[in-house]
Amino acid sequence: MPTAHVDTFTRDHLPPPNEQPEFLFELPALQFPAQLNCATELLDRQVAQHGDRPCLLAPGMAWSYRELQRHADRIAHVLVQDMGVVPGNRVLLRGPNHPMLVACWFAVMKVGAVAVTTMPMLRAKELAAMIAIGQVTHALCDAALVDELRAAQLVAPTLRHIRCWHETGEGALEAAMARHDAPFVNVDTAADDTCLLAFTSGTTGIPKATMHFHRDVMAICACWPPHVLRAEASDVFTGSPPLAFTFGLGGLVLFPMSIGASTVLLDKVSPPQLLDGIRTFGATVVFTAPTSYRAMAAHRDLLRETKLRKCVSAGEALPPATRTLWRDVTGIELIDGIGATELLHIFISADEAHARAGATGTPVPGYRAEVVDEQGQPVPPRTVGRLRVKGPTGCRYLRDERQRTYVQDGWNYTGDAYAVDEDGYFHYQARLDDIIISSGYNIAGPEVENVLLQHPAVAECGVTGVPDEERGQLVAACVVLRPGYDADAAMIKALQDFVKQTVAPYKYPRLVVFVPQLPRTTTGKLQRFRLRELTATAAVPPVTQER
Ligand code: 3UK
């Protein structure tokens, strides 16, 4: 298949064929042509059929499919003519969920470049690491968030051009867009040209970029949505995940647009704000994490007035109590689904009629899943083992040796411990490793440790997750102070603030426990299970219990 990429960086850094997963294209809907551009399929094709239908809604805004196309086409011209983007270049996108972020994403698809959408809360340090790994050359950014990006650029010189939206003046993206009004002819990309890099930090905190093709974007639209979600063109989607998280990209952009539905993009999505958005816009389909459902369920009267009919939970395990609570309050059975950045979206799930308390569901049509032992042999029913999956999408890390851990013998190993029951339902147990998952965010202990160690008061530290009703897990730090520093509430606050100022604030330790020394093995390794015991049983000063 002829690639459209002039800049062949992503193709050059695909994992070698023998390290890639096996891909399955058994469903009729997964027969893709050799040339495919997902913007043509999801945007331009929809405009041709029903351009005046509402597409993107946001506070004070409503764009039809045609209006989104007009914006995306103008931005595509700016990328090519004003910024010098060539097919295959990596373009970083930074902004809260907003119609302009979606327009920029489609513009990147149209020009045959590679979108690197980043979480709004990331700071310069994390952005610089991503720019370096992805060799990012261009960026489009909400002006309100550009400071951290400019700081990252100082240490990540591959990034040559930044343009901002929500800005006035000659240099603004809006001003440049006003100078281009011709339709844009999409670059004729190969189905297997990479169109996006999605970052995941896994267990070590060293970010990995997963690579996904135009074909992969269309494949996820053909599997879970028609077989499990079964939404309709009249539905109004909304939810909380950022578009940088593939859960959000799929649920809030790709899936609604693949069926001509509309979607509400909210930049503030705490549970009360999400509930407010659901009510104001008459949303019928919502995507969010288990903790958010738990918090929204407290507002029974407000929920009664909504038009919600489908509620999707993913990102972390759904506690059965939350499923029951949500059903009691709303009458709606949650649709749970496990997805992964490596697989792009959900691969095990159950619709409302097939939901089972404590089970994620069964493999989504198009995917196969198994639970195996250490030798890769399938285990008997109700036995805990390692989850492995294959389907039309799968793991391709950009130039990263952890490819050989995630993919073995053609299977994707997600790192989750699962058990299958007699009826073939998959029951989540735990992460096989030590990743902390708090309010749906994956947080790596060692990354937070690395930050804490840079504080002058910290001699040694270990960061782990402790169970929490509301957030799933809390980030907890065991800290050994240097002599001369006081182990008091002020120190706890100082350390928490230090983390918040250095990396994304959600990574800060909500629990801080001072210990005289850390538990270590004879070879010097931290004993994380002991850390967890220490933090779970330690007397917690009141200041750390604030939420
Ligand atoms: C965990 C779940 C139990 C699990 C994601 C939907 O979460 C997503 O991607 P990530 O790369 O994390 C993947 C890991 O998160 N997990 C996700 N969903 C569930 N555990 N029940 C669930 N329902 O450990 C998995 O390996 O951040 C979710 C769609 C797209 C995504 N990227």
Side-chain angles (χ1 to χ4, degrees):
M1 301 182 196
T3 178
H5 284 187
V6 175
D7 171 349
T8 58
F9 173 79
T10 54
R11 195 167 282 265
D12 295 343
H13 292 101
L14 285 170
N18 64 315
E19 291 182 13
Q20 291 197 26
E22 186 189 340
F23 293 99
L24 307 175
F25 300 100
E26 286 152 0
L27 296 181
L30 296 175
Q31 310 310 306
F32 297 112
Q35 303 299 126
L36 184 70
N37 185 315
C38 65
T40 309
E41 303 301 313
L42 292 171
L43 179 52
D44 303 311
R45 204 175 290 287
Q46 296 291 355
V47 173
Q49 284 168 19
H50 38 94
D52 297 322
R53 259 199 217 161
C55 179
L56 304 182
L57 309 170
M61 295 179 71
W63 285 357
S64 65
Y65 276 82
R66 196 184 316 282
E67 285 167 308
L68 173 59
Q69 183 192 48
R70 200 171 294 142
H71 281 81
D73 281 3
R74 285 172 184 260
I75 299 167
H77 284 299
V78 173
L79 287 171
V80 173
Q81 294 180 42
D82 301 346
M83 297 176 73
V85 169
V86 300
N89 281 169
R90 278 72 55 216
V91 181
L92 184 146
L93 304 177
R94 174 169 168 83
N97 286 3
H98 185 275
M100 273 301 280
L101 181 62
V102 178
C104 289
W105 191 86
F106 276 106
V108 173
M109 298 301 118
K110 282 173 166 273
V111 306
V114 180
V116 186
T117 314
T118 57
M119 306 264 190
M121 62 184 77
L122 295 185
R123 294 188 179 278
K125 186 179 192 289
E126 293 133 317
L127 292 170
M130 294 175 177
I131 293 166
I133 292 169
Q135 295 284 288
V136 171
T137 52
H138 298 76
L140 298 173
C141 184
D142 185 318
L145 293 174
V146 78
D147 291 350
E148 294 285 335
L149 184 60
R150 295 218 189 273
Q153 191 181 22
L154 295 176
V155 290
T158 60
L159 177 55
R160 298 193 305 268
H161 304 281
I162 301 175
R163 283 256 178 180
C164 291
W165 71 85
H166 288 164
E167 199 174 62
T168 48
E170 276 301 286
L173 179 59
E174 286 90 343
M177 288 165 69
R179 296 189 284 265
H180 301 281
D181 62 357
F184 187 87
V185 179
N186 296 351
V187 170
D188 193 15
T189 44
D192 65 357
D193 278 337
T194 292
C195 70
L196 66 95
L197 301 183
F199 279 88
T200 174
S201 40
T203 54
T204 61
I206 301 162
K208 297 168 275 198
T210 64
M211 309 165 83
H212 296 288
F213 299 164
H214 285 271
R215 180 186 89 195
D216 302 329
V217 167
M218 299 318 299
I220 60 166
C221 294
C223 292
W224 182 81
H227 293 105
V228 182
L229 182 66
R230 295 200 308 272
E232 288 159 16
S234 56
D235 274 308
V236 180
F237 287 54
T238 196
S240 65
L243 302 188
F245 185 19
T246 64
F247 179 37
L249 178 69
L252 304 180
V253 178
L254 309 178
F255 301 163
M257 289 186 61
S258 69
I259 56 169
S262 61
T263 186
V264 181
L265 300 167
L266 304 166
D267 62 340
K268 303 257 177 9
V269 287
S270 69
Q273 293 165 326
L274 178 57
L275 181 49
D276 195 47
I278 291 168
R279 294 170 62 225
T280 310
F281 290 91
T284 57
V285 179
V286 63
F287 288 74
T288 189
T291 52
S292 173
Y293 285 111
R294 207 143 55 215
M296 287 195 291
H299 305 278
R300 183 183 292 262
D301 293 345
L302 297 180
L303 279 166
R304 283 274 159 81
E305 299 165 10
T306 70
K307 295 184 179 158
L308 281 180
R309 63 183 203 99
K310 289 181 182 280
C311 304
V312 181
S313 172
E316 60 182 337
L318 174 66
T322 304
R323 175 184 284 291
T324 308
L325 176 65
W326 191 254
R327 191 199 307 120
D328 288 349
V329 169
T330 64
I332 300 169
E333 192 71 67
L334 282 169
I335 302 174
D336 189 7
I338 178 173
T341 308
E342 288 83 351
L343 277 296
L344 198 52
H345 220 273
I346 292 171
F347 48 83
I348 295 174
S349 185
D351 66 17
E352 301 91 328
H354 296 88
R356 259 190 207 193
T360 314
T362 54
V364 168
Y367 289 86
R368 264 182 240 162
E370 293 181 344
V371 174
V372 299
D373 62 18
E374 285 301 312
Q375 284 72 46
Q377 295 303 311
V379 297
R382 301 212 172 264
T383 310
V384 176
R386 305 195 296 156
L387 178 67
R388 67 181 190 186
V389 233
K390 61 173 81 161
T393 58
C395 178
R396 306 177 198 99
Y397 291 136
L398 192 163
R399 193 164 40 176
D400 197 302
E401 62 188 20
R402 288 168 287 184
Q403 178 75 20
R404 292 196 291 274
T405 309
Y406 204 95
V407 176
Q408 289 169 26
D409 305 320
W411 289 91
N412 300 277
Y413 285 81
T414 65
D416 296 293
Y418 258 88
V420 188
D421 68 21
E422 290 75 7
D423 303 324
Y425 279 74
F426 285 67
H427 296 249
Y428 178 81
Q429 309 295 312
R431 287 291 300 172
L432 287 162
D433 52 35
D434 275 319
I435 190 76
I436 304 164
I437 305 180
S438 188
S439 300
Y441 291 111
N442 284 15
I443 302 164
E447 188 189 7
V448 184
E449 287 162 22
N450 187 43
V451 174
L452 282 170
L453 286 170
Q454 290 167 39
H455 189 281
V458 176
E460 274 197 292
C461 67
V463 172
T464 182
V466 295
D468 179 68
E469 270 293 313
E470 203 175 304
R471 295 172 190 269
Q473 278 185 302
L474 288 185
V475 179
C478 276
V479 174
V480 182
L481 287 177
R482 289 184 196 279
Y485 288 92
D486 291 330
D488 55 14
M491 177 58 73
I492 291 174
K493 173 122 196 337
L495 294 176
Q496 291 173 326
D497 288 346
F498 183 73
V499 175
K500 286 189 204 171
Q501 283 154 20
T502 313
V503 289
Y506 67 80
K507 295 175 184 171
Y508 88 93
R510 284 171 190 272
L511 289 176
V512 177
V513 176
F514 297 107
V515 292
Q517 61 179 53
L518 293 178
R520 292 187 183 277
T521 65
T522 47
T523 55
K525 284 198 201 327
L526 267 182
Q527 291 175 298
R528 292 185 176 276
F529 70 97
R530 287 274 298 118
L531 280 187
R532 246 176 263 124
E533 290 166 11
L534 273 174
T535 43
T537 56
V540 179
V543 64
T544 63
Q545 292 180 338
E546 69 172 54
R547 293 257 147 79

